[in-house]
Amino acid sequence: MKQPADKKNRLLSQDSIYSTSRAIVFIMFLAIIIPVLLAELYTFTAYYIKNPWFSAAVINSVLSLLFVIYLLVFSSKAVDYRQKPLRIFQCQSAFNQLIRKPYIAYSPAILVLVFILIGSFLTAQWGDAKRLDFGLRNYAWVFWVPIIEEIVFRCCIGNFFRKNAGIFWGSYFSVLVFALAHSMPTVSNILSLKIGVPLGPLFLALFCEIIYVGSGKLGPAITLHAVCNASVIIYSIIDARWLEWLGFLYL
């Protein structure tokens, strides 16, 4: 009597593996298509707004608003897109317990801010500091862009990916989508081979993904994103040479 049961379990296991593989392939396809669609939307909007980064912010704002409306409308139907804290490393439960504590989840943003301030002040005192003018409207990089981008890429796209492809592959492709979208992979850029994965957005997405998935809270990821964006303003005001030294991280 055990043989039929064992055979049934093997078949169920094979079906599960096949289903998971199909989901991963589907998410991989979306991870390629979504950045291209976003880049085309950004480019199209830039024709009317005449500002590339602002056009991207407008599109992401619309997408985040639609996502929030979707949650409000379907929340009564048990559609839950909130991220529950998950074990990132199965063999390191202590790490997963730590990152769920607020002071640990927010510590990366604090450490990055301290490094930026100390480094820029030291070089400004000991060297020939260079300063740049920075328009007030660019402060939206700090107070507006991080919120809408984390909602779109972490809550909307990322949660969809993780629910369908699992935590590892879902997070991997979520990070990839964020990085690729910041490289403007329009069809024309792809055909002319003007594409790549920028290191700054890639590292930022990776750490924001770990913090969000591990803690289950979006606030720490938004804060880290805001601090990294604020680095451009801080360096411009105190010592703009850092923008040259860390140029490989910036777009």
Side-chain angles (χ1 to χ4, degrees), residues 56-65 143-154 222:
V58 169
I59 293 297
N60 290 331
S61 296
V62 172
L63 292 176
S64 61
L65 179 60
F143 300 107
W144 174 26
V145 172
I147 296 175
I148 58 176
E149 287 194 348
E150 290 304 313
I151 290 176
V152 171
F153 292 99
R154 224 65 57 206
I222 292 176

Side-chain angles (χ1 to χ4, degrees), residues 27 31-32 34-35 38 149-150 152-155 157-159 161-162 166-183 196-213:
I27 295 302
I32 297 173
I34 289 176
L38 289 175
E149 287 194 348
E150 290 304 313
V152 171
F153 292 99
R154 224 65 57 206
C155 288
I157 297 175
N159 278 2
F161 281 9
R162 286 186 293 275
I167 180 173
F168 177 80
W169 289 110
S171 296
Y172 172 80
F173 287 119
S174 174
V175 169
L176 192 61
V177 166
F178 181 88
L180 287 175
H182 282 72
S183 67
V197 179
L199 290 179
L202 181 67
F203 291 147
L204 174 61
L206 177 62
F207 285 107
C208 286
E209 190 78 15
I210 292 175
I211 293 172
Y212 174 60
V213 173

Side-chain angles (χ1 to χ4, degrees), residues 46-67:
Y47 283 115
Y48 301 94
I49 298 180
K50 306 301 181 183
N51 190 313
W53 81 262
F54 188 70
S55 65
V58 169
I59 293 297
N60 290 331
S61 296
V62 172
L63 292 176
S64 61
L65 179 60
L66 292 175
F67 178 69

Side-chain angles (χ1 to χ4, degrees), residues 187-196:
V187 175
S188 60
N189 286 342
I190 293 174
L191 294 177
S192 58
L193 300 181
K194 296 179 180 179
I195 55 174

Side-chain angles (χ1 to χ4, degrees), residues 15-80:
D15 290 341
S16 177
I17 294 174
Y18 179 67
S19 177
T20 302
S21 300
R22 285 193 304 174
I24 293 174
V25 172
F26 175 65
I27 295 302
M28 184 189 304
F29 172 76
L30 291 180
I32 297 173
I33 296 299
I34 289 176
V36 177
L37 294 177
L38 289 175
E40 292 293 345
L41 282 174
Y42 298 159
T43 304
F44 176 78
T45 310
Y47 283 115
Y48 301 94
I49 298 180
K50 306 301 181 183
N51 190 313
W53 81 262
F54 188 70
S55 65
V58 169
I59 293 297
N60 290 331
S61 296
V62 172
L63 292 176
S64 61
L65 179 60
L66 292 175
F67 178 69
V68 171
I69 292 174
Y70 173 79
L71 290 185
L72 293 175
V73 171
F74 291 98
S75 59
S76 60
K77 298 182 179 180
V79 177
D80 188 5

Side-chain angles (χ1 to χ4, degrees), residues 81-224:
Y81 268 78
R82 292 173 299 176
Q83 176 63 50
K84 297 179 180 179
L86 299 173
R87 293 185 62 180
I88 300 175
F89 305 110
Q90 297 298 326
C91 60
Q92 297 182 9
S93 59
F95 173 82
N96 293 276
Q97 292 296 328
L98 278 175
I99 200 172
R100 295 174 191 175
K101 297 180 180 180
Y103 64 89
I104 296 296
Y106 283 95
S107 60
I110 297 173
L111 291 174
V112 171
L113 181 60
V114 169
F115 170 81
I116 292 171
L117 291 173
I118 292 178
S120 57
F121 274 118
L122 286 177
T123 56
Q125 293 296 324
W126 295 344
D128 186 13
K130 183 194 301 183
R131 293 176 176 82
L132 301 175
D133 293 329
F134 211 84
L136 290 177
R137 66 179 182 178
N138 291 320
Y139 283 91
W141 281 0
V142 181
F143 300 107
W144 174 26
V145 172
I147 296 175
I148 58 176
E149 287 194 348
E150 290 304 313
I151 290 176
V152 171
F153 292 99
R154 224 65 57 206
C155 288
C156 181
I157 297 175
N159 278 2
F160 177 79
F161 281 9
R162 286 186 293 275
K163 285 179 183 292
N164 288 275
I167 180 173
F168 177 80
W169 289 110
S171 296
Y172 172 80
F173 287 119
S174 174
V175 169
L176 192 61
V177 166
F178 181 88
L180 287 175
H182 282 72
S183 67
M184 293 300 289
T186 59
V187 175
S188 60
N189 286 342
I190 293 174
L191 294 177
S192 58
L193 300 181
K194 296 179 180 179
I195 55 174
V197 179
L199 290 179
L202 181 67
F203 291 147
L204 174 61
L206 177 62
F207 285 107
C208 286
E209 190 78 15
I210 292 175
I211 293 172
Y212 174 60
V213 173
S215 67
K217 297 179 177 63
L218 191 62
I222 292 176
T223 304
L224 177 61

